[in-house]
Amino acid sequence: MNTNTAALADAAIPFDHHRVDRLMEDAGIDVLLATSKHNVQYLLGGYKFIFFSAMDAIGHSRYLPVVVYEKGRPEHAAYVANKMEGGEHHNNPFWTPTLHTATWGSVDAAKLAVEHLKKLNLAGVRIGYEPSFLPADAYEVLRGGLGNAALVDATGMLERMRAIKTPQELEKLRTASELITDSMQAVFSAMGEGSTKQEIVDALRREETNRGLQFEYALLTLGSSHNRAVSPQSWHKGEVMSLDSGGNYHGYIGDLCRMAVLGEPDAELVDLLAEIESVQQAAISRAHAGTLGGDLIAHAESVLKAGPSAKFNDFFAHGMGLITHEMPFLMTNHPVAYEGTDAARPLEVGMVLSVETTMLHPTRGFIKIEDTVAIHADGPELMGDRGRGWNRGGTARG
């Protein structure tokens, strides 16, 4: 590595490329071809092109960003970008030594990636790509243009790359969580008798947007219903509200659920939420570095099964960060369809979990708490740790 390369590696690369090199070596990958927006964002140090933040389609094709990274040779990295991203580079230069701001669709992006790879003279190497995030026409270009190079699935390696969050990433997740809980509490206070689910979701969207979040979704129940879709249903005195929302802060997801009641919670509601809270606390108590992921799950489930409403209750935990379900994967097909490949692995400092306990009560409705938990060397941190009890609805209405 020459002096210029050393300077690039030490100062300009916005991720731990030595760790990425080790992960690539373990996975038998010589070159990475990242094409998902979340992995491109990670490898570019947090950058995401705003023009395609909501929709990838344009003209007859779609936006396809590509980061090419050769193991141990960051000086060979390239970013294949949309033509409009030249302005982004002018204002805040991308770190990759090679940049192509020249594409409008998936085929031209793939052709430029192939041209760059051919210049590296990588005959017979193993190229890691993302099957779920590479269009068929782009795949055909790669397959036809790379000779005897092997295309291998890099999904697992890239998931592990993102599993350990940096302090900067943790701060973004913390901010997202705090802004979501602030937004929820404002909505609980503002909404009252007769507020519809549509009005409540619209209010939450405004609150999150005004606080600097990109609103992603809201799952909402009122009263005894377990249906979380938007509808004209309205909130009435004595009824509960479950509000589960995801908001995006600079690419990082906040995902929490809080409860409210219109009026004062009766003794039964107090007991039901306390039962949910006991399961949450059981899970959080095991969110320590070195604990096997499966042991956290087992402990929370043991507390759940001992509760008086166990037959109505469910517990779930998953990793989160740039996307809502990422490593560590702790449970198999529960409820999202993936394998719990990390249940037998120890949790690590820098991982972030979502832990959620849900009660589908037959008469009191959908009662749930979802928390975001970061694992630190000195123990777990609850992000957005507010409003976890019964919030009162309509207080701002006097």
Side-chain angles (χ1 to χ4, degrees):
M1 182 179 289
N2 60 36
T3 303
N4 291 335
T5 300
L8 170 69
D10 292 337
I13 304 174
F15 57 89
D16 184 349
H17 66 100
H18 299 295
R19 178 171 176 269
V20 171
D21 290 344
R22 292 193 297 271
L23 292 172
M24 292 174 68
E25 179 69 25
D26 292 344
I29 294 171
D30 301 301
V31 182
L32 276 178
L33 248 159
T35 52
S36 66
K37 286 196 289 190
H38 51 279
N39 284 320
V40 166
Q41 179 178 348
Y42 185 90
L43 292 168
L44 293 181
Y47 165 78
K48 182 168 64 174
F49 187 28
I50 191 172
F51 189 83
F52 293 102
S53 65
M55 175 72 72
D56 293 340
I58 188 165
H60 298 300
S61 188
R62 54 157 290 171
Y63 174 59
L64 187 67
V66 185
V67 171
V68 182
Y69 176 80
E70 182 183 354
K71 180 181 64 182
R73 304 295 297 272
E75 68 273 20
H76 288 175
Y79 178 42
V80 178
N82 179 269
K83 284 188 177 182
M84 292 186 289
E85 290 179 87
E88 303 282 337
H89 178 65
H90 178 79
N91 294 338
N92 295 288
F94 301 113
W95 76 269
T96 57
T98 300
L99 173 67
H100 300 283
T101 53
T103 72
W104 281 110
S106 54
V107 169
D108 51 351
K111 286 180 178 178
L112 283 172
V114 168
E115 288 178 15
H116 181 76
L117 288 167
K118 285 181 174 179
K119 290 177 182 177
L120 301 182
N121 192 27
L122 299 174
V125 301
R126 290 167 60 85
I127 298 175
Y129 77 113
E130 299 186 76
S132 295
F133 297 93
L134 186 68
D137 54 4
Y139 176 83
E140 291 301 324
V141 171
L142 294 176
R143 184 64 283 157
L146 293 176
N148 64 346
L151 286 172
V152 298
D153 188 346
T155 302
M157 177 257 137
L158 289 165
E159 289 168 345
R160 195 157 298 283
M161 174 186 73
R162 302 194 320 272
I164 307 301
K165 274 59 179 179
T166 65
Q168 293 77 19
E169 290 180 288
L170 290 172
E171 182 58 32
K172 289 175 182 176
L173 285 162
R174 184 178 299 112
T175 299
S177 300
E178 291 173 351
L179 294 178
I180 287 174
T181 49
D182 286 348
S183 298
M184 287 180 172
Q185 289 184 302
V187 168
F188 293 147
S189 177
M191 297 293 104
E193 181 78 25
S195 298
T196 68
K197 292 178 78 174
Q198 183 67 68
E199 290 170 340
I200 294 166
V201 170
D202 289 345
L204 183 64
R205 183 191 303 272
R206 290 191 297 272
E207 292 290 345
E208 291 188 4
T209 302
N210 290 341
R211 285 173 168 81
L213 290 171
Q214 180 176 319
F215 176 84
E216 294 214 348
Y217 62 84
L219 304 172
L220 168 67
T221 67
L222 296 176
S224 61
S225 174
H226 299 161
N227 186 325
R228 298 204 284 172
V230 172
S231 76
Q233 181 187 359
S234 58
W235 202 14
H236 297 291
K237 198 73 173 176
E239 289 185 339
V240 305
M241 179 199 298
S242 166
L243 189 54
D244 187 336
S245 181
N248 191 306
Y249 183 76
H250 294 198
Y252 288 81
I253 300 295
D255 181 17
L256 299 102
C257 185
R258 296 293 185 257
M259 298 297 304
V261 60
L262 195 53
E264 290 295 321
D266 57 37
E268 182 182 34
L269 287 178
V270 171
D271 289 345
L272 293 177
L273 193 59
E275 187 176 347
I276 295 292
E277 174 68 4
S278 69
V279 180
Q280 289 292 103
Q281 290 300 329
I284 294 164
S285 73
R286 294 296 192 271
H288 290 269
T291 299
L292 297 183
D295 289 348
L296 179 151
I297 302 297
H299 182 59
E301 289 183 335
S302 69
V303 173
L304 182 152
K305 291 173 183 176
S309 307
K311 63 181 179 180
F312 306 132
N313 295 348
D314 182 69
F315 174 77
F316 183 38
H318 56 88
M320 59 180 296
L322 279 169
I323 59 177
T324 54
H325 288 256
E326 63 178 38
M327 193 168 285
F329 299 108
L330 303 178
M331 305 178 76
T332 297
N333 300 332
H334 187 97
V336 184
Y338 52 70
E339 295 297 313
T341 51
D342 299 301
R345 292 175 177 266
L347 300 173
E348 299 180 57
V349 171
M351 286 183 169
V352 178
L353 307 178
S354 175
V355 296
E356 47 189 296
T357 307
T358 303
M359 176 185 295
L360 301 181
H361 196 277
T363 59
R364 304 315 298 265
F366 193 103
I367 302 175
K368 175 180 178 179
I369 299 177
E370 181 173 9
D371 291 310
T372 297
V373 183
I375 298 173
H376 298 289
D378 57 354
E381 173 198 1
L382 267 70
M383 295 178 168
D385 184 19
R386 60 194 73 166
R388 301 176 74 255
W390 282 111
N391 297 279
R392 274 58 168 181
T395 56
R397 296 188 173 193

